[in-house]
């Protein structure tokens, strides 16, 4: 396997598991411990990982820098379980809000055969839903968040406040018992709070 591809797979494992070990990676990729140590050193230099004795842990700041495209391919089985659960509860003609999360992509995939009114601020969801004549699509506009690939800001909030939803499908970066749901962007969090 080429080193760049191996490094990307290690990065994916770090995002999924929050830590990796040299031994585990060496066996998985069938390369030497030294090769894995070099890969982890590069990830450390990029700010993705923090090397530890015998492996590495995910750097705290990484999750907010991971692209939506990378997140779309992480925890896919779990996202599909959520999407299947959602499909059991949404009824024809429901009005739903869908955020710009990668979980929303799998939810929309599961709901593609149910006629719905879908309100979203997500560029990806707008693009995906616009190809399906079964859904009525309402796009919330405003200032573009390039990282979140969605619309945010005062204009988006005003538009969103005109709607009531049967369901709102939102995701967050962190969920804590004490502090509740938290996101990496205040502007995106405000849209989700309003929904």
């Amino acid at each position: 396997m080429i080193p760049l591809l191996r490094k990307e797979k290690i990065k994916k494992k770090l995002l999924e598991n929050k830590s990796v070990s040299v031994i585990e990676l060496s066996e998985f990729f069938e390369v030497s411990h030294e090769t894995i140590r070099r890969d982890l050193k590069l990830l450390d230099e990029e700010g993705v990982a923090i090397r530890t004795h015998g492996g590495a842990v995910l750097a705290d700041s990484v999750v907010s820098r991971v692209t939506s495209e990378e997140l779309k391919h992480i925890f896919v089985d779990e996202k599909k379980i959520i999407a299947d659960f959602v499909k059991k509860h949404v009824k024809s003609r429901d009005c739903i809000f869908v955020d710009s999360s990668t979980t929303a992509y799998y939810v929309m995939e599961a709901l593609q055969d149910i006629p719905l009114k879908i309100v979203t601020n997500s560029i990806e969801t707008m693009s995906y839903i616009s190809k399906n004549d079964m859904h009525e699509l309402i796009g919330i506009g405003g200032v573009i968040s390039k990282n979140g690939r969605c619309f945010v800001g005062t204009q988006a909030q005003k538009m969103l406040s005109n709607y009531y939803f049967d369901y709102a499908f939102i995701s967050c970066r962190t969920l804590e018992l004490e502090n509740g749901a938290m996101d990496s962007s205040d502007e995106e969090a405000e849209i989700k709070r309003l929904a």
Side-chain angles (χ1 to χ4, degrees):
M1 175 179 297
I2 60 173
L4 186 61
L5 183 57
R6 185 177 59 244
K7 192 174 78 167
E8 285 305 307
K9 288 186 180 258
I10 292 171
K11 184 177 174 183
K12 183 178 177 185
K13 282 184 168 292
L14 270 167
L15 285 166
E16 288 177 347
N17 303 320
K18 309 294 185 227
S19 67
V20 292
S21 78
V22 170
I23 295 170
E24 162 197 310
L25 292 173
S26 177
E27 290 173 3
F28 182 81
F29 292 110
E30 298 178 347
V31 295
S32 71
H33 291 194
E34 192 53 41
T35 298
I36 295 299
R37 284 189 194 97
R38 278 194 301 271
D39 290 340
L40 293 177
K41 181 177 185 230
L42 290 171
L43 289 170
D44 186 283
E45 290 168 358
E46 290 174 16
V48 172
I50 298 169
R51 288 192 300 166
T52 61
H53 181 70
V57 295
L58 185 67
D60 288 337
S61 62
V62 170
V63 177
S64 62
R65 292 184 292 154
V66 175
T67 67
S68 292
E69 195 54 39
E70 288 172 306
L71 287 173
K72 190 186 284 185
H73 303 291
I74 296 172
F75 298 120
V76 172
D77 292 340
E78 291 83 351
K79 291 172 185 178
K80 287 182 177 181
I81 289 168
I82 291 168
D84 289 341
F85 177 81
V86 165
K87 187 172 183 174
K88 293 174 187 172
H89 292 84
V90 173
K91 298 177 296 306
S92 179
R93 305 289 173 220
D94 277 350
C95 180
I96 65 172
F97 174 80
V98 180
D99 74 359
S100 60
S101 67
T102 56
T103 303
Y105 171 83
Y106 293 96
V107 168
M108 290 296 83
E109 201 173 61
L111 299 178
Q112 65 184 334
D113 297 331
I114 302 172
L116 300 166
K117 179 184 276 190
I118 299 170
V119 180
T120 186
N121 67 326
S122 165
I123 294 170
E124 304 297 335
T125 301
M126 287 180 205
S127 176
Y128 183 78
I129 296 303
S130 68
K131 298 170 190 160
N132 187 334
D133 292 334
M134 193 168 288
H135 302 304
E136 179 182 348
L137 173 63
I138 299 169
I140 300 297
V143 176
I144 187 83
S145 164
K146 291 182 181 172
N147 285 348
R149 305 261 312 131
C150 62
F151 293 99
V152 295
T154 307
Q155 189 62 35
Q157 292 171 22
K158 283 180 185 174
M159 290 177 74
L160 189 59
S161 67
N162 291 317
Y163 296 96
Y164 295 92
F165 307 110
D166 295 297
Y167 296 98
F169 300 108
I170 62 172
S171 185
C172 61
R173 294 291 176 140
T174 305
L175 188 60
E176 292 183 351
L177 289 174
E178 247 179 68
N179 299 314
M182 293 179 283
D183 216 327
S184 56
S185 161
D186 289 342
E187 293 172 318
E188 287 181 49
E190 183 57 22
I191 293 292
K192 294 172 185 187
R193 187 192 67 74
L194 276 171

